[in-house]
Amino acid sequence: MNLGLSTTLHTSFDEAVARTRNALAQQGFGVLTEIDVRATLKAKLGEDMEDYLILGACNPPLAHQAVSIDRQIGLLLPCNVIVRRDPTSDTIIIVEAMNPQLMVQVTDEPALQPIAGQAGAKLQAAIDSLQRTAAPH
């Protein structure tokens, strides 16, 4: 099983982030958390790296269903979506979303399968739409 669902974009980092946020919103996901890994590593360790942003995406109805089945599932929420610059190219941006099927594997809870399936389909639709859309203005 793949850890993530991904696509590669040839655009600016800021546009890739805007497009990713919009694509997630179109599939019912809100971004609850945002971690700028690049800025954090620079501030805390003095280390430089390429643009790397982790968005914590949540689809409230699906999260509610999952938490209703297994209260510990919150340890695996929200679904992380990474927008990162390819370290070998300034013009390649990679967008990756956590594969929700990992929740089913980690918990060994079959009742989570349909929820993970729905979340996976929505995240895949968001990832797929990135190839077809421009940033909202």
Side-chain angles (χ1 to χ4, degrees):
M1 170 181 306
N2 291 331
L3 281 180
L5 316 168
S6 67
T7 193
T8 301
L9 303 176
H10 299 277
T11 188
S12 72
F13 183 76
D14 289 341
E15 178 159 328
V17 171
R19 287 169 57 182
T20 300
R21 287 178 180 280
N22 186 55
L24 290 168
Q26 293 298 314
Q27 295 299 320
F29 289 88
V31 174
L32 302 179
T33 60
E34 179 177 316
I35 302 168
D36 185 336
V37 176
R38 177 180 164 210
T40 300
L41 293 181
K42 184 65 174 175
K44 301 293 182 184
L45 302 175
E47 296 289 334
D48 290 314
M49 72 175 292
E50 68 278 0
D51 292 312
Y52 194 114
L53 189 67
I54 302 171
L55 303 174
C58 180
N59 180 296
L62 295 177
H64 178 255
Q65 290 175 43
V67 171
S68 295
I69 291 169
D70 184 346
R71 291 289 199 237
Q72 279 192 312
I73 205 67
L75 294 168
L76 302 174
L77 297 177
C79 293
N80 283 333
V81 178
I82 300 170
V83 182
R84 62 185 178 91
R85 184 179 308 281
D86 184 320
T88 65
S89 172
D90 286 342
T91 60
I92 297 174
I93 307 298
I94 301 161
V95 180
E96 300 170 300
M98 181 193 83
N99 184 343
Q101 291 301 327
L102 291 172
M103 290 189 305
V104 179
Q105 271 196 337
V106 168
T107 63
D108 198 28
E109 174 56 70
L112 290 171
Q113 179 63 50
I115 300 161
Q118 289 175 52
K122 289 178 177 295
L123 286 170
Q124 186 66 62
I127 293 290
D128 290 347
S129 76
L130 292 173
Q131 291 296 332
R132 302 184 303 269
T133 61
H137 297 285

